[in-house]
Each structure stands twice: as structure tokens, then as C-alpha cells.
Amino acid sequence: MVKKIRKAVFPVAGMGTRFLPATKANPKEMLPVVDKPLIQYAAEEAEEAGVQSLVFITGRNKRSIPDHFDKAYELESELQEAGKTALLQKVQNILPPNVSCIYLRQAEALGLGHAVLCAEPVVADEPFAVILADDLIRGDGGIGALTQMAEIYERYQCSIILVEEVPPQETGKYGIVEIEDDDGQTANVTSIVEKPKPEDAPSNLGVVGRYILTPRIFDLIKETGRGTGGEIQLTDAIAELLKYEKVRAYRVKGKRYDCGNKLGYLEATVEFGLAHQELGEDFRGYLKRLSDSL
Ligand code: UTP
């Protein structure tokens, strides 16, 4: 029987240097898009896919993430006393009761591969998801990226990585895959390389922040030395995994916003603002007036 994806790992121990000074004392995963922090969008995506344990790999200056998911007794009683029930519900419903949070520390930011390895004691021998919250994804038809990937995982029963066509001159910002047996939505990965120069890239299919991985990856990360940028790269361990198991690439049905960079974050803010139930119409009016005045 295919094992369900019950655990999702959220590496949130990075330095977030592209967003300094906003990320000096606060993690970038707590940056809000309209009224929710990035990490909450990511947690909701995992819950929708049936995940029951959220495993956060945290580091320095990340206390606000556990605070966000903890019960806030004082705030809740003040909202209750003030009769602000709609707001109270928003605060209380951040996590459904069947979902638990586990926090592990990455003592030193040695890279994404190393952050994922920190989850081994909790994940053990199960397939699991990895979600990079700064890649915010709006799935078509309201179906989240991880839900889509879990379906592909059930079909192929192997590791699944999310990919997207990236501008050929930007391959140096991504892990890049080479593929075969492409049905337009999914394909077999034949090789993967971290941040290649455009002239060395095997394609322009870049890995974006979602993975479903088999537990063999942990042993392979342990054997992975420091790679690009002096970091222990998840990409290098996936390249090793290819020697033992199939890995399937999946193109998401939806749109990804790279909220780890300022322009992508602004785009997400505008588009999520336009789609917002309470604010959308007023915001559209404002943008129209603004564009007329430009
Ligand atoms: P990034 O490459 O986006 O790095 O990491 P970063 O430090 O967060 O941001 P910049 O590039 O300096 O602006 C990809 C993901 O891996 C996590 C980050 O938190 C992010 O979600 N990460 C990275 C770790 O958890 N630990 C690490 O050692 C490195």
C-alpha cells in the first residue's frame, strides 16, 4: 500500500539576506501577504493535502513562528470580551485540532540539504513533503500545489519535485533538471544540478519550493559534502537519489510567486489583494485610479 504523506518539513532557518533589513530580527516566512504570513499559507497548503505534522526547522530569530501557531490566551480573551467574534475565529482557526507542530533547531545555517536532514529524527522512514514557504503558490481551482503533488506521488510512488520553466538567463538561481518521458505535466528526472550557468544548464526547468521525498534522501544528505555557495545542497542529494530510485518532476497547475525576492513579493501582494474577499473590489478601484495617474 502507498504510504500517505503525513509529515511536512518547513525549513525556515535561512538568513533571508535578500530581504534585509526587514528580515534582520524577523524571519522572512513571517512576512505577510495581505493579512496572513507566508508560513500560514504554507501550513494551510500542507493541511489541505492531509498532512498531520508540521515540522519546522528553525534557527536564530525565529521565535515568532512558534508564537504564531501557539494559542494566544490574552489576545483571545480580549477579542472575546470586545465581542470581535470574526477576528477571534481567525485567530483560533490558524491550526485545525488534528494538526500538530514540531520545532527542531538547525544550529547553523549550513544549507537547505542540512536543514532537511535535521528532520530525520521526526520523519524517520516515511515519505514526506518539504515546503519552502517563500514560494507562495496559488493552485488552479483552489487545489493547492501539495495536494496536486500528493496525487502524482500516489500514481508514481516515487519522489516528486515541483518544477517550472524559468527564463534561460536565470538558471543560476535554481536547481535545474533534465527530463525524459514528458507528458506535458510530469516527466522523469534524468539529472539535476544546482544553479548552473545558462551555458551549462541541461534545460530551463527550475526546481521550485515543493518536494515529496522518500526517506532514503536522509542517508544521501549525510554523504553530501558542501556544494554551491559552500552549502549542503538538497539538489546534490537528489542527484544521488537518482542512482537508486525514480524521481518525477511535476509542473504545478497554478501560479507561483517568489516571495523570497522583493519584486515577487510585491506581485503576490497585489494579486492576493485583488483576489481578497473583503478588500478586492476597493483595491481594484484604487489600482485603476493609480494607473490613470501614472
Ligand atoms: P534560500 O536560498 O532562499 O536562502 O533558502 P535564505 O537564507 O532563506 O534567503 P536569502 O537567499 O539569503 O535571501 C531556501 C529555503 O531554505 C531554508 C530557508 O529558510 C528557505 O526557506 N534554509 C536555507 C534553511 O532552513 N537552512 C539553511 O541553512 C538554508
Side-chain angles (χ1 to χ4, degrees):
M1 215 180 83
V2 192
K3 283 192 179 169
K4 294 263 178 221
I5 308 300
R6 297 186 308 141
K7 293 173 182 159
V9 176
F10 300 84
V12 293
M15 308 283 266
T17 52
R18 283 168 295 164
F19 244 109
L20 283 169
T23 47
K24 182 166 176 252
N26 264 315
K28 71 175 164 187
E29 294 80 7
M30 284 301 289
L31 291 171
V33 170
V34 188
D35 52 6
K36 276 195 280 188
L38 288 169
I39 196 68
Q40 191 178 333
Y41 288 98
E44 287 172 1
E45 184 185 318
E47 289 152 22
E48 181 210 297
V51 165
Q52 289 163 357
S53 302
L54 312 179
V55 185
F56 298 91
I57 311 300
T58 73
R60 288 179 58 247
N61 291 336
K62 307 287 174 170
R63 273 217 311 269
S64 55
I65 292 178
D67 284 350
H68 183 71
F69 290 104
D70 277 354
K71 195 170 172 63
Y73 290 100
E74 288 149 341
L75 177 64
E76 287 182 24
S77 66
E78 280 191 23
L79 290 173
Q80 181 111 48
E81 274 166 33
K84 295 184 175 169
T85 41
L87 280 179
L88 179 64
Q89 274 181 1
K90 279 189 188 165
V91 171
Q92 284 177 329
N93 294 343
I94 284 182
L95 274 186
N98 62 326
V99 171
S100 57
C101 293
I102 297 159
Y103 299 94
L104 299 168
R105 285 285 274 217
Q106 184 189 22
E108 211 182 337
L110 294 178
L112 177 59
H114 181 257
V116 170
L117 181 59
C118 293
E120 187 187 20
V122 171
V123 172
D125 60 353
E126 288 181 44
F128 64 103
V130 176
I131 299 189
L132 307 188
D134 55 347
D135 270 330
L136 176 59
I137 302 177
R138 187 204 295 283
D140 287 348
I143 302 172
L146 195 64
T147 301
Q148 298 178 30
M149 291 173 74
E151 214 181 290
I152 302 297
Y153 169 77
E154 291 206 4
R155 192 180 326 153
Y156 290 96
Q157 298 181 32
C158 67
S159 295
I160 312 288
I161 52 185
L162 199 65
V163 296
E164 186 179 281
E165 316 266 341
V166 300
Q169 70 279 10
E170 290 187 10
T171 57
K173 295 182 183 165
Y174 296 88
I176 299 288
V177 296
E178 188 175 20
I179 55 167
E180 63 177 18
D181 182 26
D182 185 4
D183 66 12
Q185 201 73 54
T186 72
N188 258 349
V189 176
T190 52
S191 73
I192 182 167
V193 54
E194 182 66 15
K195 300 191 171 75
K197 290 189 194 135
E199 58 272 27
D200 301 329
S203 76
N204 69 331
L205 271 184
V207 179
V208 293
R210 304 287 183 277
Y211 309 76
I212 289 177
L213 295 169
T214 55
R216 190 195 289 254
I217 199 74
F218 293 125
D219 284 339
L220 299 173
I221 299 173
K222 285 175 205 158
E223 290 161 14
T224 301
R226 292 188 186 220
T228 311
E231 296 193 337
I232 298 174
Q233 298 288 354
L234 183 59
T235 302
D236 295 341
I238 295 174
E240 281 302 302
L241 187 65
L242 283 171
K243 295 180 184 163
Y244 303 93
E245 298 176 5
K246 269 196 192 319
V247 175
R248 199 86 189 157
Y250 174 68
R251 296 178 181 88
V252 77
K253 292 180 185 158
K255 183 162 180 189
R256 175 187 72 105
Y257 302 85
D258 178 3
C259 293
N261 92 52
K262 289 175 223 175
L263 189 58
Y265 176 74
L266 286 176
E267 287 171 8
T269 302
V270 170
E271 293 188 33
F272 277 68
L274 284 171
H276 195 276
Q277 262 194 337
E278 290 157 32
L279 302 171
E281 217 170 301
D282 289 349
F283 189 48
R284 187 175 304 276
Y286 161 72
L287 285 182
K288 280 198 177 132
R289 291 194 301 281
L290 182 68
S291 75
D292 288 346
S293 71
L294 289 177

